[in-house]
Amino acid sequence: MNYLLNIVIFFPAFAALLLYVLKGENSRIFAILVASLELLFVVLLWNEFNTNYGGIQFVTHYELISSYNISYSVGIDGISLFLLALNAFITLLALYFFKYLRTPLIIAILFLESIVMGVFSALDVVMFYIFWELSLLPVLYIIGVWGGERRIYASIKYFIYTFGASLIMLIGILYFAYQYFLIMGTWSFNLIDWYQISLDLDTQKWLFLAFFIGMAVKIPIFPLHSWQPHAYTQAPIVGSVLLSAVLSKMGTYGLLRLVLPLFPFTSSNISLIIGLICVFMVVYGAFIALAQKDLKTFLAYSSLSHMGIIVLGIFSLNTEGLSGAVFFMIAHGVVVGALFMLIGILQTRTQTQSLQDVQGIAHSMPQYSSVFGIVMMCSLGLPLTMGFVGEVLSLYGFFQLNPIIAFLAGSSFFVGAIYMLTMFKKVFFGSALPKYTTLKDLNLREKIVFVPILVLIIWLGVYPKPLLTPISTSAETLSRTISAKISLTPTQTHDMENIESLEYPLGNVPRDFDDDGVLFIPRIGE
Amino acid sequence: MPESMSFSLTQLNISLLIPMSISLLGGIVLLGVGVFNKIKSRDLYIAISLLFVIVNLGFLVLEANPLLAPGFFGLLLVDGISLLAQMIMLITTLIILLFFMRQNSFAETQNAEFYALLLFALVGFSFMVSSQNLILILLGLETASLSIYALIALHNKQVSFESSIKYFVMGALATAFYAFGAMLLYATTGSVNLVNIAKFLLEHNYEPSILVFAGFTFLVAAFGFKISMVPFHTWVPDVYEGSNSLLAAFIAIVPKIAAFSVIISVFNIFLKSHNTFVEYTLYTLIILSITLPNLIALVQKDVKRMLAYSSISHSGFVLAAIFVGTQQALEVVFLYWILFLFANVGAFGILWLSADSKYNHSFKSFSGMIKTNPTLAIFLSLFMFALAGIPPFSVFWGKMYLILEVLSADYIFLALAMVINSTIAGFYYLKLVVYIFAKDSNGIGDYQPPLELSSKVAIGICAIMSVGCIFMVQNLLDIISYYLKIY
């Protein structure tokens, strides 16, 4: 079933092309069908996925440019699998939720889904870069054409920021390839090959910086975040949903897939500084959010605050932190997507997204308010919701590194509660404004969207094991690779025989493991 | 010169002349047809020129023997670089001629002499790239340049006379510089053949250095005009603005690749001296050529001028590859230019199909093009993305290999400059896309005649090469390295 992953990657793009050629009316129904099929494929992929094996599975390798060894090479591990699932899930919900989507917008969304699938499964660095950059174009179109008043400014700002940062990453990629060429004597852009070498400290430092800037803009990390509120606010709500839920995970995924295993030594050296930045991001994002008057900008900053925790978990470099970060990526994706959709409902009903113009919504829309309440609780990390598990694991991971920073970052529970509850009070409680007393509550379509979200939030909050086990298996492989590379003195000697056995083996993955072959996995999160 | 007058014709190696003679013959035939044929038919002229261009290309490909083939006692020297450059020029002309086939109201394209001059320009450049002799290079360059001055002036508008004269004056200045530089080199080495000059200079350790490097400086200035290196670039935007879009595409690609092929051997001689003056001069000029026009392009209000400035920047990129000078870097020169060719000709071709008829190339005139003319709008945005270097479209691969080579040669600052400039370039290419998609149309959509088959084919070739080049880069690299293997 190795070809399944390729279907997952290219099916939405193919469907979008079809849609472009046919230009049919009612394209939303078609797109919903495509997205459901896509979700089905991803579930099949999950079904076929060997959850006891932490390495790369479903590998497809096809040579493209042989003289530089650039190839179409894809494969997934436990980390990518659930990001694929998140992408398919959110896209389906978004397509179903927004009733009045025009065909061009739907085509862009489907292309975006395809491209993001590619980012999450590329194993060739050039391929990764291609998907990474290509994702700009649909977003540009979604924001620039379908966005709000200042859409052109927002889309160009987004483009310039990410394009520039990615080009810096491109230099890093090419320089790494050249270093690989110097060490190994052959060109290769395959990630698995790149894992085999470790560079000397000085080179590592600069290359880390180049890669990190590329990722940091996309996440975004604190000083590079200024495109984010504009993009999230000006995008149409479906765009905000996809941007915040799926696209922001590309950066954190890039950290996991590229930055940590390629530059383990620098990553571990710099983790405290990044931890401090993350703490700052958490608090800064929360307080800026508190001062916002626009609901979408509010969510943009709250998202910034949460990304701080995810990056913190990633730079803990241990299994708990990594799997917590991945889990939180998924939880954050679901929750922030749901919140943007909820705001979308409010906006269509009241024609405003300003915090000051609405109050007392709970009187006229009780169901809406309770759904909003539950999702919000998950967002601020209430125990027994999905948000709690990831956040706590991320913090626990970093706690092993530096308790003080972890403690400070733990204030996210507290500051999150401040801004979220303040907003909730303003919007939902108090006396209802007369013009909003006749608002309609959730209709059937909206209920259908929020039921699976609520189920996921509660179910994975109570019983996170189905996701957490495969994630932590892969996180374990990752963290062991990192620590093995760190324990080797990263000098000029490139004798990597010692960790040969720990590397991700390419291909030839046994489909079924005997119990003897199963790696020992600590049962975290239970 | 021959020692005795008793030499056989085989020594001349006349077969080397065949490809260029075909285009030359084509030009003469066109002139004849234009005079003697009573019925003026643009289609006929284009068909004839296409015929000769294709036959010329066919001879080049069939002859494809990238060995050094000297002829005419060393006056001609056909090598891999020359063959590749000629192919690039012919392919460009081919696509441009296909675009020209469209029914249009431009006076100059109705007459035979336009196409004849186009072919004469090709012949001139073909001679220029097939020689190592400074005099023959000058001869080819002048033949071609004179044709191009006339071609621009044929556009028959106030602005085109202005630009033609500007180009002519600049070109004359460049020729003077060239002649002076060649003279200085001749005075030092006693030879006008680049191979002999290189040998002599290496033996004598580049002494006397003042004469040698003064010669170098003048040659750089002369070629700088042709490849629009900063600070010799001032003619470019005016000339692009003054000529019709397809001619602008021709000027953007053909003279430059010809000049690049000569520059490769000229610069190589002086870079081998490892003289700091040579290296710093070139390094500075390259950085300036990449950066300055990019910044100017940001504030342009006219799409053609924007493309003009951006093409200066692109030739700066290619110069960087020549500057690095390794075997792989030379391959990148041609790879980059081939990829750039298709994106650039495609973009200009669409300007020709959409905006040229309105004589208005301002950004505003493209507002809301996605509504008035969706097919062309989508293709134009595609070529803009390709030019901006967004993967996996064409120019990205050129940039990627180029940066790889620059990094391999340890010019990290140069690589960073390239990247920063690519970001800036991304902005102004994107600006056009924003106008196409996001701005409202400024009027009722003009009537657009349906595309003719020839235009469709031309756009199709450019689009396929721009989009699908991820599958072709390996083949292109193979072909290029086959032609360059003796270097």
Side-chain angles (χ1 to χ4, degrees):
Chain A
M1 291 292 273
N2 267 10
Y3 56 87
L4 194 57
L5 182 58
N6 301 310
I7 295 179
V8 166
I9 295 173
F10 290 109
F11 177 65
F14 172 73
L17 273 182
L18 213 61
L19 198 57
Y20 178 75
V21 175
L22 299 178
K23 279 186 183 134
E25 297 295 311
N26 291 326
S27 49
R28 183 171 148 266
I29 310 292
F30 178 78
I32 291 170
L33 266 174
V34 170
S36 338
L37 272 176
E38 177 78 356
L39 187 63
L40 188 73
F41 290 145
V42 175
V43 171
L44 263 178
L45 202 67
W46 189 357
N47 187 39
E48 291 283 315
F49 188 83
N50 187 338
T51 48
N52 295 323
Y53 177 69
I56 311 269
Q57 308 182 24
F58 295 100
V59 175
T60 310
H61 192 83
Y62 175 74
E63 200 78 24
L64 279 180
I65 299 172
S66 52
S67 58
Y68 285 88
N69 212 349
I70 296 170
S71 54
Y72 167 76
S73 176
V74 291
I76 52 168
D77 63 359
I79 297 170
S80 355
L81 174 66
F82 295 107
L83 291 170
L84 295 186
L86 173 73
N87 184 16
F89 180 66
I90 294 290
T91 311
L92 173 60
L93 286 190
L95 282 172
Y96 183 70
F97 177 78
F98 295 99
K99 205 174 169 187
Y100 301 104
L101 292 178
R102 302 283 298 277
T103 311
L105 187 56
I106 287 176
I107 291 174
I109 291 172
L110 287 178
F111 267 120
L112 188 63
E113 181 177 21
S114 211
I115 291 164
V116 174
M117 292 288 179
V119 170
F120 287 147
S121 43
L123 287 183
D124 186 279
V125 186
V126 172
M127 208 48 62
F128 178 83
Y129 184 78
I130 287 175
F131 283 125
W132 176 272
E133 287 284 67
L134 263 186
S135 73
L136 288 181
L137 302 184
V139 174
L140 199 67
Y141 180 72
I142 292 172
I143 300 178
V145 177
W146 303 95
E149 235 166 72
R150 302 182 64 213
R151 56 182 188 268
I152 292 175
Y153 171 76
S155 60
I156 289 187
K157 191 165 186 175
Y158 171 75
F159 181 85
I160 296 295
Y161 259 75
T162 41
F163 190 58
S166 317
L167 278 168
I168 291 174
M169 185 170 80
L170 179 67
I171 283 205
I173 289 174
L174 295 177
Y175 197 74
F176 197 107
Y178 176 59
Q179 292 291 324
Y180 183 90
F181 174 70
L182 287 185
I183 294 166
M184 304 300 257
T186 54
W187 290 101
S188 177
F189 283 89
N190 197 307
L191 203 55
I192 313 287
D193 290 344
W194 282 19
Y195 285 166
Q196 315 287 332
I197 67 166
S198 73
L199 304 170
D200 61 287
L201 267 185
D202 201 39
T203 326
Q204 231 184 77
K205 197 168 68 193
W206 289 107
L207 285 181
F208 173 87
L209 193 67
F211 277 81
F212 186 74
I213 288 176
M215 308 296 172
V217 167
K218 206 86 167 189
I219 294 175
I221 288 177
F222 162 62
L224 303 169
H225 69 282
S226 73
W227 61 267
Q228 189 207 22
H230 295 284
Y232 283 19
T233 313
Q234 295 304 323
I237 290 182
V238 60
S240 313
V241 170
L242 293 173
L243 264 175
S244 60
V246 182
L247 282 153
S248 64
K249 309 300 174 290
M250 278 166 55
T252 43
Y253 174 77
L255 286 180
L256 288 170
R257 181 62 81 228
L258 290 173
V259 175
L260 296 192
L262 292 181
F263 317 108
F265 206 79
T266 315
S267 305
S268 91
N269 275 351
I270 211 167
S271 64
L272 286 189
I273 298 171
I274 292 186
L276 281 174
I277 294 177
C278 290
V279 170
F280 185 73
M281 248 167 89
V282 167
V283 180
Y284 170 85
F287 278 96
I288 302 273
L290 190 58
Q292 291 310 312
K293 295 186 174 62
D294 185 295
L295 274 170
K296 279 165 92 182
T297 323
F298 168 86
L299 274 187
Y301 281 109
S302 98
S303 181
L304 181 73
S305 172
H306 282 139
M307 285 324 243
I309 301 285
I310 295 178
V311 177
L312 196 75
I314 288 172
F315 275 89
S316 70
L317 300 182
N318 51 35
T319 313
E320 293 80 7
L322 290 175
S323 39
V326 176
F327 193 87
F328 195 32
M329 271 150 80
I330 290 149
H332 178 254
V334 172
V335 167
V336 88
L339 282 175
F340 269 116
M341 287 183 208
L342 285 164
I343 288 176
I345 293 180
L346 193 64
Q347 199 197 14
T348 45
R349 301 270 153 78
T350 63
Q351 304 303 326
T352 176
Q353 54 187 38
S354 163
L355 262 171
Q356 289 161 324
D357 295 352
V358 283
Q359 80 179 33
I361 296 293
H363 295 290
S364 48
M365 300 169 75
Q367 291 174 357
Y368 173 79
S369 310
S370 27
V371 171
F372 200 107
I374 296 171
V375 176
M376 183 197 70
M377 287 304 165
C378 177
S379 166
L380 53 82
L382 192 78
L384 291 186
T385 59
M386 197 176 175
F388 176 74
V389 183
E391 200 162 348
V392 162
L393 271 175
S394 301
L395 290 173
Y396 174 61
F398 210 84
F399 184 81
Q400 300 175 8
L401 226 63
N402 189 323
I404 297 172
I405 287 181
F407 173 75
L408 289 174
S411 64
S412 79
F413 287 110
F414 161 70
V415 291
I418 295 177
Y419 66 80
M420 274 295 180
L421 292 177
T422 316
M423 184 274 293
F424 197 70
K425 191 192 88 185
K426 267 188 205 161
V427 175
F428 291 96
F429 298 142
S431 55
L433 294 176
K435 57 178 170 177
Y436 294 143
T437 45
T438 54
L439 293 177
K440 285 203 186 83
D441 211 346
L442 295 182
N443 59 29
L444 183 65
R445 180 171 50 85
E446 289 153 354
K447 277 179 198 158
I448 291 176
V449 169
F450 288 112
V451 163
I453 290 179
L454 291 185
V455 168
L456 264 186
I457 285 175
I458 306 291
W459 172 48
L460 290 174
V462 178
Y463 185 66
K465 205 182 135 202
L467 258 67
L468 210 47
T469 315
I471 289 175
S472 62
T473 317
S474 289
E476 163 107 10
T477 315
L478 183 62
S479 72
R480 283 209 293 172
T481 311
I482 295 166
S483 55
K485 277 181 111 172
I486 291 175
S487 65
L488 270 159
T489 44
T491 50
Q492 290 285 10
T493 59
H494 299 287
D495 175 31
M496 301 305 289
E497 285 165 14
N498 302 344
I499 63 160
E500 202 77 31
S501 54
L502 286 174
E503 299 306 331
Y504 291 105
L506 178 62
N508 302 330
V509 182
R511 295 257 46 95
D512 289 302
F513 270 134
D514 290 327
D515 277 348
D516 305 336
V518 173
L519 293 164
F520 173 70
I521 297 133
R523 301 255 179 254
I524 41 179
E526 273 189 29
Chain B
M1 283 292 111
E3 284 84 31
S4 70
M5 291 308 287
S6 60
F7 55 89
S8 65
L9 273 178
T10 48
Q11 265 176 289
L12 284 177
N13 209 350
I14 285 182
S15 65
L16 288 184
L17 277 180
I18 292 176
M20 308 148 198
S21 313
I22 291 170
S23 287
L24 191 63
L25 183 70
I28 294 168
V29 166
L30 270 172
L31 286 180
V33 171
V35 172
F36 295 113
N37 194 2
K38 290 281 184 308
I39 308 151
K40 298 263 177 280
S41 160
R42 197 190 62 250
D43 286 342
L44 175 68
Y45 305 143
I46 294 177
I48 293 174
S49 356
L50 269 178
L51 179 73
F52 281 96
V53 166
I54 290 172
V55 173
N56 189 347
L57 192 63
F59 264 90
L60 275 185
V61 174
L62 290 179
E63 203 192 69
N65 180 16
L67 288 176
L68 284 172
F72 289 89
F73 314 107
L75 265 177
L76 278 185
L77 188 96
V78 176
D79 53 13
I81 289 184
S82 128
L83 288 175
L84 264 181
Q86 290 187 53
M87 282 180 203
I88 292 177
M89 296 190 290
L90 287 168
I91 291 171
T92 315
T93 318
L94 192 69
I95 300 174
I96 286 175
L97 283 174
L98 282 178
F99 274 119
F100 266 127
M101 263 196 183
R102 180 172 181 258
Q103 208 70 40
N104 66 66
S105 55
F106 286 93
E108 76 266 25
T109 64
Q110 316 296 334
N111 295 325
E113 55 264 28
F114 185 83
Y115 306 100
L117 283 171
L118 208 61
L119 290 185
F120 288 146
L122 260 184
V123 177
F125 286 125
S126 301
F127 272 106
M128 180 180 166
V129 295
S130 323
S131 176
Q132 295 283 317
N133 187 302
L134 286 174
I135 294 174
L136 194 62
I137 292 174
L138 179 65
L139 219 60
L141 184 60
E142 280 308 291
T143 315
S145 301
L146 281 171
S147 314
I148 292 181
Y149 306 144
L151 279 174
I152 300 169
L154 276 177
H155 193 35
N156 215 5
K157 280 196 307 172
Q158 191 74 38
V159 64
S160 52
F161 295 138
E162 180 200 324
S163 65
S164 173
I165 287 174
K166 191 163 187 178
Y167 194 26
F168 173 70
V169 172
M170 289 291 183
L173 193 61
T175 311
F177 278 146
Y178 181 89
F180 198 68
M183 183 206 78
L184 286 176
L185 284 183
Y186 179 68
T188 333
T189 61
S191 169
V192 285
N193 192 312
L194 282 174
V195 182
N196 295 341
I197 291 174
K199 213 184 285 169
F200 183 93
L201 288 178
L202 266 182
E203 278 166 13
H204 293 78
N205 202 16
Y206 295 86
E207 297 288 339
S209 51
I210 291 185
L211 277 185
V212 172
F213 293 119
F216 163 76
T217 315
F218 280 110
L219 282 185
V220 168
F223 286 118
F225 277 113
K226 289 297 160 197
I227 55 165
S228 66
M229 184 202 274
V230 173
F232 311 111
H233 67 282
T234 43
W235 56 271
V236 180
D238 296 328
V239 167
Y240 279 33
E241 212 181 5
S243 39
N244 69 50
S245 295
L246 290 178
L247 196 57
F250 185 81
I251 298 170
I253 306 285
V254 175
K256 287 186 184 168
I257 188 65
F260 283 138
S261 342
V262 178
I263 278 179
I264 288 173
S265 36
V266 174
F267 280 14
N268 217 0
I269 296 173
F270 293 98
L271 281 170
K272 269 189 197 140
S273 70
H274 296 291
N275 185 297
T276 43
F277 168 71
V278 173
E279 285 181 357
Y280 279 99
T281 314
L282 287 182
Y283 195 85
T284 320
L285 287 181
I286 288 168
I287 296 264
L288 283 179
S289 301
I290 293 175
T291 316
L292 269 185
N294 246 342
L295 296 176
I296 304 173
L298 276 181
V299 294
Q300 295 304 315
K301 293 189 172 61
D302 186 288
V303 175
K304 255 177 158 177
R305 287 184 86 87
M306 180 273 278
L307 283 174
Y309 280 110
S310 82
S311 84
I312 302 172
S313 177
H314 280 290
S315 38
F317 275 77
V318 174
L319 265 186
I322 296 178
F323 175 63
V324 168
T326 56
Q327 169 74 33
Q328 284 83 16
L330 286 190
E331 289 175 14
V332 172
V333 171
F334 288 97
L335 180 70
Y336 194 103
W337 212 249
I338 290 171
L339 297 175
F340 175 65
L341 178 172
F342 289 107
N344 204 35
V345 172
F348 274 116
I350 288 179
L351 291 196
W352 161 260
L353 294 178
S354 62
D356 260 23
S357 52
K358 287 180 276 176
Y359 294 103
N360 184 359
H361 299 91
S362 66
F363 275 98
K364 281 212 181 74
S365 69
F366 289 88
S367 314
M369 191 179 169
I370 187 67
K371 300 229 171 62
T372 57
N373 198 345
T375 319
L376 289 185
I378 284 177
F379 277 112
L380 186 54
S381 339
L382 189 110
F383 292 128
M384 285 301 126
F385 289 138
L387 284 172
I390 290 174
F393 304 128
S394 59
V395 176
F396 164 73
W397 296 99
K399 275 193 178 149
M400 195 188 108
Y401 285 118
L402 182 54
I403 294 175
L404 198 62
E405 291 312 323
V406 170
L407 283 175
S408 306
D410 249 0
Y411 292 110
I412 294 182
F413 181 66
L414 187 56
L416 271 177
M418 285 174 170
V419 162
I420 291 167
N421 279 298
S422 300
T423 318
I424 299 171
F427 178 78
Y428 56 72
Y429 287 125
L430 189 66
K431 200 163 119 188
L432 182 57
V433 179
V434 166
Y435 270 93
I436 290 174
F437 278 92
K439 301 261 169 148
D440 290 328
S441 176
N442 51 0
I444 313 136
D446 304 302
Y447 168 70
Q448 295 283 350
L451 290 182
E452 285 165 27
L453 181 67
S454 55
S455 314
K456 279 183 194 162
V457 171
I459 295 179
I461 295 172
C462 294
I464 288 172
M465 287 303 290
S466 302
V467 174
C469 65
I470 178 168
F471 301 108
M472 300 177 207
V473 170
Q474 182 60 43
N475 301 340
L476 282 177
L477 277 175
D478 287 344
I479 293 170
I480 293 169
S481 65
Y482 170 74
Y483 279 105
L484 296 184
K485 67 186 166 194
I486 52 140
Y487 273 84

